[in-house]
Amino acid sequence: MYWPQLQTAYQTVAFHGTRHPDKRAILCEGRTMTYGELHRESNRTANAIRAAGLGRGARVGYLGLESERYYEIFFACAKSETVLVPINWRLTAGEVDHILRDAGAEMLFVEREFLANVTAKQKDLQKLRLVVDMDGEGELGSAYQTWKAGHSAADLMPTTGVNDPVIQLYTSGTTGLPKGAVLAHRSFFQMAPAFAEQHLDWVDWRPDDINLIGMPGFHIGGIWWAMQGFNAGVPNACMRVFRSRDAVQLIRELGITTSFLVPAMLYMILAEPREGNHVFKTLRKICYGASPISETLQRECLEVFGCELANLYGLTEIALVVCLPPKDHGIGSKRIRAAGLPFPGVDMKIIDPSGNVLPTGVVGEICLRSSSVMLEYWGMKKATESTIVNGWLHTGDAGYVDQDGYLYISDRIKEMIIVAGQNVYPAEVENELCKHPAVAETAVVGAPDDRWGEAIHAFVVLRPGAEASPRQLMMSMRGIIADFKIPTQYHFIDKVPRNPSGKILRRILRSQLQAEAEAKAKAKT
């Protein structure tokens, strides 16, 4: 389904809320919100935000789990011309503080469970003038309902358009400090018209679809996929937090037909006890991405789910723009390791360090050009200019294109590690690990992991005469950085390999891990 009149988030909810107000929009923990209710209640919240004195472009934070309230607030921000800043609830108080401070958030919606991560440093956040404790002392979301209750549900008339910001997502940089990627409305509306024009069904929607939102809304995959479901006007089953047992139950009880998940989620779903594969009989298409997937897992998904698969590749800075279509997912397909083909309207090139375009089959940096590219890194002019050059987004990912135009990812130039869809940068982890008094230097790399996509390995050089166990190193980082960033494996070495300029040679460390894994596999046979 494609609605050509939809070009902004506020048009989406207004259109469907008026066209079929009684149709289910969000299903969450047994609660149902119709499109009419979503439109009306997001109006009420938008009017409350404006009454609080927030003007056009003001940043509004959200710290909490997924729920109908999150999407209600997202659409309210779009209607009130403010910009939503969703925050990863797994982050520590210091990390949350940095994002609120960097964004200059004037208002924050926070669930009671995470309130302590804000109040600890709230007095130092001069721009943050309103914190809405969504739960108060009552039931989940009760204080939020009270806060907005006295405000009008009348439609607003926002003057923002397709090129105005709607959301600011934080993604770590190579320095380890999060950067705010500012996305405009257009970032969420490119796919449908492009696919409709080319008659492509790589990612498609049908009137009877029921969509599962398993990815968190602070992740580009989560908010982008959710918006595709809302744009199509289908019911969206929203999980507060992903649990594989709950996912299987929702698929069976609600008749889920489509979803976007990371490979680690697919792995966990397949591992859940079940009476038979018939529980997945309603599934017709699963899209996946955000981290590497093994051929073994792809094969098992095809056999057990019995539905089409589509791989989606993108970045926070440009949304999802490359797809490996279902037709390339057959068992034994020569394309199974490809990231896919660019969406219609997306330009792609592979360049060398000097900016020269490389020929077919040669590995270089992947550059993408699309109408969905971010507006900027918030408050970081130089970083924006070095990332978006003449309209081209320099992804920092290395890859090549084959003779048929398929993109293959060979490595990540920026050394990012992806753990179950969560971005982790070695520099941030290394900085914290080196604060331990026994550590002289360290290098962090990712290694393939069947369950999580990648696992974080730390290579550690201890100071002369010092001792430290893996557990001690692990515990030293607890509460300082998010748990998913803490290495799960520790290797004690005499020296970190570096090139003449002092840069860590991570490829040597990854090769060491690969050799060890191959030796273990050989020993078992």
Side-chain angles (χ1 to χ4, degrees):
M1 294 181 292
Y2 165 52
W3 311 105
Q5 61 268 62
L6 302 183
Q7 297 181 330
T8 63
Y10 55 81
Q11 288 175 350
T12 288
V13 70
F15 175 79
H16 292 298
T18 303
R19 189 172 185 269
H20 41 70
D22 296 328
K23 187 172 184 179
R24 296 177 299 172
I26 305 175
L27 313 171
C28 184
E29 294 187 328
R31 301 181 301 275
T32 298
M33 174 175 271
T34 66
Y35 275 98
E37 291 169 336
L38 180 58
H39 178 39
R40 182 174 65 251
E41 293 307 311
S42 59
N43 276 351
R44 199 182 306 280
T45 301
N47 280 308
I49 290 173
R50 283 192 173 178
L54 274 71
R56 179 169 177 162
R59 265 50 182 177
V60 177
Y62 177 88
L63 180 58
L65 302 179
E66 298 297 290
S67 71
E68 66 275 26
R69 292 173 292 277
Y70 170 72
Y71 292 102
E72 184 181 309
I73 291 169
F74 170 73
F75 286 116
C77 287
K79 292 177 176 181
S80 63
E81 303 181 327
T82 56
V83 179
L84 181 65
V85 182
I87 303 171
N88 186 339
W89 51 267
R90 295 186 179 92
L91 300 181
T92 64
E95 293 169 318
V96 170
D97 175 73
H98 171 80
I99 290 175
L100 290 173
R101 191 179 303 277
D102 182 79
E106 298 181 35
M107 182 177 183
L108 173 68
F109 293 95
V110 58
E111 293 187 342
R112 173 58 64 95
E113 181 180 355
F114 309 105
L115 188 59
N117 277 357
V118 179
T119 54
K121 299 191 177 185
Q122 183 179 345
K123 64 179 182 299
D124 299 323
L125 295 167
Q126 297 179 357
K127 283 195 172 184
L128 186 61
R129 48 199 174 97
L130 178 59
V131 175
V132 178
D133 175 0
M134 298 183 68
D135 306 325
E137 298 295 341
E139 297 180 358
L140 196 67
S142 59
Y144 166 66
Q145 299 295 340
T146 301
W147 172 79
K148 67 171 184 172
H151 295 275
S152 170
D155 287 352
L156 292 83
M157 300 298 291
T159 59
T160 47
V162 295
N163 295 315
D164 288 305
V166 66
I167 196 167
Q168 186 165 314
L169 300 177
Y170 273 80
T171 175
S172 295
T174 53
T175 62
L177 293 175
K179 294 181 289 189
V182 183
L183 300 179
H185 289 268
R186 54 178 161 78
S187 293
F188 302 96
F189 292 87
Q190 175 204 11
M191 184 199 72
F195 280 18
E197 183 178 338
Q198 298 293 326
H199 304 289
L200 296 175
D201 62 354
W202 298 351
V203 181
D204 62 332
W205 298 92
R206 300 176 184 175
D208 58 350
D209 272 334
I210 301 178
N211 179 39
L212 175 65
I213 304 174
M215 295 281 288
F218 57 75
H219 189 287
I220 183 59
I223 188 63
W224 184 89
W225 180 259
M227 274 303 300
Q228 305 315 304
F230 288 125
N231 291 345
V234 303
N236 298 275
C238 172
M239 302 184 72
R240 289 276 289 160
V241 62
F242 179 85
R243 294 186 180 89
S244 52
R245 180 177 299 178
D246 295 340
V248 173
Q249 183 178 346
L250 288 172
I251 292 170
R252 181 179 63 247
E253 294 182 355
L254 298 179
I256 299 296
T257 62
T258 189
S259 185
F260 174 75
L261 301 167
V262 300
M265 293 174 175
L266 298 175
Y267 178 93
M268 289 187 282
I269 289 174
L270 291 170
E272 282 294 328
R274 57 185 182 275
E275 298 175 356
N277 294 345
H278 66 276
V279 300
F280 303 120
K281 64 182 180 180
T282 61
L283 290 174
R284 69 172 188 85
K285 181 173 291 181
I286 291 180
C287 298
Y288 67 91
S291 65
I293 190 171
S294 67
E295 292 185 33
T296 300
L297 180 56
Q298 287 179 332
R299 185 179 301 110
E300 189 173 359
C301 287
L302 288 169
E303 293 173 349
V304 174
F305 295 144
C307 68
E308 292 184 334
L309 297 179
N311 179 29
L312 299 178
Y313 164 77
L315 301 92
T316 303
E317 294 87 346
I318 199 170
L320 302 178
V321 289
V322 173
C323 178
L324 185 67
K327 68 180 181 64
D328 291 308
H329 278 80
I331 294 175
S333 169
K334 66 177 182 178
R335 305 290 188 196
I336 206 67
R337 301 308 301 162
L341 296 165
F343 289 1
V346 175
D347 297 320
M348 180 171 61
K349 65 181 180 180
I350 309 297
I351 65 170
D352 65 16
S354 299
N356 300 309
V357 177
L358 294 170
T360 297
V362 179
V363 174
E365 183 177 11
I366 302 165
C367 293
L368 299 165
R369 185 169 59 185
S370 166
S371 61
S372 64
V373 71
M374 69 175 182
L375 296 171
E376 62 176 329
Y377 285 127
W378 180 246
M380 302 180 72
K381 183 178 180 181
K382 289 184 178 179
T384 302
E385 291 176 346
S386 63
T387 301
I388 305 175
V389 182
N390 296 325
W392 288 91
L393 178 77
H394 290 238
T395 67
D397 287 348
Y400 66 93
V401 176
D402 70 10
Q403 66 275 12
D404 297 316
Y406 284 78
L407 173 67
Y408 290 76
I409 310 294
S410 57
D411 203 349
R412 286 181 295 280
I413 293 174
K414 296 180 181 179
E415 304 293 354
M416 184 176 70
I417 303 168
I418 305 177
V419 180
Q422 300 284 339
N423 295 347
V424 180
Y425 283 86
E428 181 182 12
V429 182
E430 289 162 358
N431 288 339
E432 293 302 329
L433 192 51
C434 282
K435 292 178 182 178
H436 192 284
V439 175
E441 61 175 340
T442 184
V444 170
V445 301
D449 183 89
D450 285 339
R451 182 169 188 177
W452 303 115
E454 288 187 298
I456 302 176
H457 291 248
F459 289 81
V460 179
V461 178
L462 296 176
R463 296 184 185 277
E467 294 182 357
S469 68
R471 176 173 173 76
Q472 289 171 332
L473 296 177
M474 183 182 300
M475 295 305 296
S476 73
M477 291 178 281
R478 284 282 170 84
I480 306 299
I481 59 176
D483 285 351
F484 67 84
K485 300 178 183 178
I486 297 176
T488 56
Q489 298 292 328
Y490 296 79
H491 310 262
F492 294 94
I493 57 178
D494 296 326
K495 184 180 181 181
V496 172
R498 299 178 183 273
N499 66 12
S501 65
K503 183 178 179 180
I504 297 172
L505 297 174
R506 300 184 198 275
R507 66 178 183 274
I508 293 178
L509 300 176
R510 285 193 289 265
S511 296
Q512 179 180 326
L513 293 178
Q514 183 177 355
E516 292 175 358
E518 291 174 352
K520 289 181 180 179
K522 186 176 181 180
K524 291 181 180 180
T525 58

